[in-house]
């Protein structure tokens, strides 16, 4: 029995981003191949995406296939959270974007096809991941993604996008961007914008704030930060371990500005070293289910920059992802 025949028993909706870097399924995904069971669309706007997902929910889909990269997944997950307020369908990813960090974390190869995803869905192979939920306090607007960054990470992402145009993708682009950001900081001089950081007020929530160097429950800090990262991924591109040993939950890395002993600290942070002096030098790894963040500068969520403000950054509801 072919994967598509086997998948006929699973009511499936496919979202395809034809602009993704190496989209392989766009032709297949725009032509429904199982009438009445598989619905495939290529929404062009956020409003159209919301309408499509609402229609999927109305048809009771059991599997949501996303053909695209991290940015497409972010947009779909953000819209889907408004549609499925209760139990959400399983999600299958066909990684075809410039960056595919979630697929890497889930163990999905770059070569995975739509047919392979449907076969895995039939076999019931799943892993659970919770997205990061960003809530704006003033409007209540919510975003869902898997890698949040502020401070120097914003400039580093801009550099990564330049490397995309130069032909470097996935972990290569991320690695090149971070290396360039560190070089800019190391050799930019004492008054460089990279070293100055951005003012951030961070208040970690929850009575069980944990981590190698946790500040204690409800810690409230307001000062300049060089970089801030938060993620619910266990595995990061090119094997870097900014949060330490791989583990579940929402993890953060907060580096004070100006960064001290950056040349010595960088290889240890990248390798996930638990060295205690890192915390004393201003490199803080903290696990927390939620935090409040006030920041005037912008932030990055899965490659897209958004304006700053008063935010809640927290671990969202777990989702089931189809895996090989």
């Amino acid at each position: 029995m072919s994967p598509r025949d086997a998948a006929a028993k699973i009511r499936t909706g496919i979202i395809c981003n034809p602009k993704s870097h190496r989209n392989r399924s766009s032709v297949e995904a725009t032509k429904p191949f199982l009438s009445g069971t598989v619905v495939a669309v290529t929404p062009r706007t956020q409003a159209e995406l919301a309408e499509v997902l609402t229609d999927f929910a109305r048809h009771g889909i059991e599997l949501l296939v996303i053909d695209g990269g991290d940015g497409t997944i972010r947009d779909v997950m953000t819209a889907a959270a408004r549609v499925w307020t209760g139990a959400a369908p399983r999600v299958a990813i066909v990684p075809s974007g410039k960056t595919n960090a979630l697929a890497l974390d889930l163990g999905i190869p770059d070569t995975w096809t739509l047919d392979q995803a449907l076969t895995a869905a039939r076999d019931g192979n799943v892993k659970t991941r919770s997205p990061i939920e960003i809530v704006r306090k003033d409007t209540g607007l919510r975003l869902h993604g898997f890698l949040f960054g502020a401070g120097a990470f914003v400039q580093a992402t801009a550099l990564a996008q330049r490397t995309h145009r130069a032909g470097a993708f996935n972990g290569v682009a991320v690695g090149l961007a971070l290396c360039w950001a560190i070089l800019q900081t190391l050799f930019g001089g004492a008054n460089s914008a990279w070293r100055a950081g951005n003012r951030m007020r961070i208040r970690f929530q929850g009575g069980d704030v944990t981590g190698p160097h946790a500040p204690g429950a409800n810690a409230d800090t307001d000062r300049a930060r060089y970089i801030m990262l938060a993620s619910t991924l266990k595995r990061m591109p090119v094997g870097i371990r900014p949060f330490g040993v791989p583990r579940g939950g929402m993890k953060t890395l907060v580096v004070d500005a100006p960064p001290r002993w950056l040349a010595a600290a960088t290889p240890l942070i990248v390798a996930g070293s638990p060295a205690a002096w890192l915390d004393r030098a201003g490199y803080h790894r903290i696990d927390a289910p939620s935090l409040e963040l006030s920041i005037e500068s912008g932030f990055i969520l899965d490659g897209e920059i958004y304006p700053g403000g008063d935010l809640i950054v927290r671990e969202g509801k777990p989702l089931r992802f189809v895996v090989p």
Side-chain angles (χ1 to χ4, degrees):
M1 180 182 296
S2 73
R4 295 184 179 188
D5 291 337
K9 297 180 180 179
I10 305 174
R11 191 172 295 275
T12 304
I14 302 175
I15 297 290
C16 171
N17 181 1
K19 296 181 180 180
S20 286
H21 166 58
R22 60 175 191 281
N23 196 291
R24 292 176 299 275
S25 304
S26 57
V27 175
E28 297 173 301
T30 52
K31 296 178 180 179
F33 50 75
L34 290 171
S35 178
T37 301
V38 173
V39 185
V41 294
T42 55
R44 294 178 291 272
T45 66
Q46 290 293 317
E48 185 177 338
L49 174 59
E51 292 178 4
V52 167
L53 292 174
T54 300
D55 190 55
F56 281 0
R58 187 179 304 116
H59 283 83
I61 68 164
E62 302 164 286
L63 176 68
L64 176 61
V65 178
I66 305 174
D67 187 345
D70 291 331
T72 304
I73 295 169
R74 176 202 62 233
D75 291 344
V76 174
M77 293 294 94
T78 294
R82 303 187 190 110
V83 174
W84 284 281
T85 56
R90 288 180 295 163
V91 180
I93 298 170
V94 180
S96 56
K98 294 177 181 177
T99 58
N100 303 284
L102 176 59
L104 172 69
D105 181 50
L106 293 170
I108 297 172
D110 288 345
T111 55
W112 220 33
T113 65
L114 179 60
D115 281 352
Q116 289 173 316
L118 293 173
T119 298
R122 176 202 64 191
D123 294 341
N125 303 326
V126 297
K127 286 184 180 179
T128 301
R129 290 290 185 275
S130 297
I132 286 180
E133 182 179 54
I134 312 295
V135 184
R136 290 194 175 278
K137 289 187 178 182
D138 54 350
T139 64
L141 181 66
R142 302 185 180 194
L143 300 168
H144 289 77
F146 287 88
L147 180 59
F148 170 93
F153 190 72
V154 176
Q155 295 99 305
T157 299
L159 290 172
Q161 291 170 347
R162 294 178 195 172
T163 61
H164 289 163
R165 290 193 290 272
F169 301 98
N170 282 321
V172 175
V174 174
L176 287 175
L178 290 177
C179 287
W180 182 245
I182 292 168
L183 289 174
Q184 288 276 26
T185 306
L186 288 173
F187 300 109
N191 298 321
S192 74
W194 289 87
R195 292 182 59 81
N198 300 100
R199 199 78 186 180
M200 303 182 197
R201 179 171 183 173
I202 308 172
R203 180 178 175 83
F204 291 91
Q205 302 292 309
D208 58 347
V209 176
T210 59
H213 312 296
N218 301 315
D220 193 340
T221 57
D222 184 357
R223 60 161 297 162
R225 306 291 187 179
Y226 171 62
I227 196 171
M228 176 182 177
L229 298 176
S231 183
T232 51
L233 299 177
K234 293 182 179 180
R235 180 184 176 193
M236 299 293 288
V238 293
I240 62 174
R241 293 185 173 186
F243 309 109
V245 296
R247 59 194 183 280
M250 192 174 82
K251 304 160 288 290
T252 69
L253 170 68
V254 181
V255 180
D256 297 339
R260 302 170 61 195
W261 306 324
L262 184 61
T266 295
L268 298 181
I269 290 292
V270 167
S273 169
W277 72 263
L278 289 170
D279 182 63
R280 295 193 297 270
Y283 299 82
H284 313 289
R285 293 189 183 115
I286 303 163
D287 290 9
S290 178
L291 62 90
E292 294 181 0
L293 172 66
S294 294
I295 181 172
E296 293 183 359
S297 57
F299 66 88
I300 293 286
L301 185 64
D302 290 346
E304 185 76 14
I305 186 168
Y306 296 91
D310 294 328
L311 312 170
I312 298 173
V313 182
R314 64 192 181 196
E315 187 174 346
K317 294 192 302 184
L319 300 170
R320 296 169 297 153
F321 291 92
V322 173
V323 296

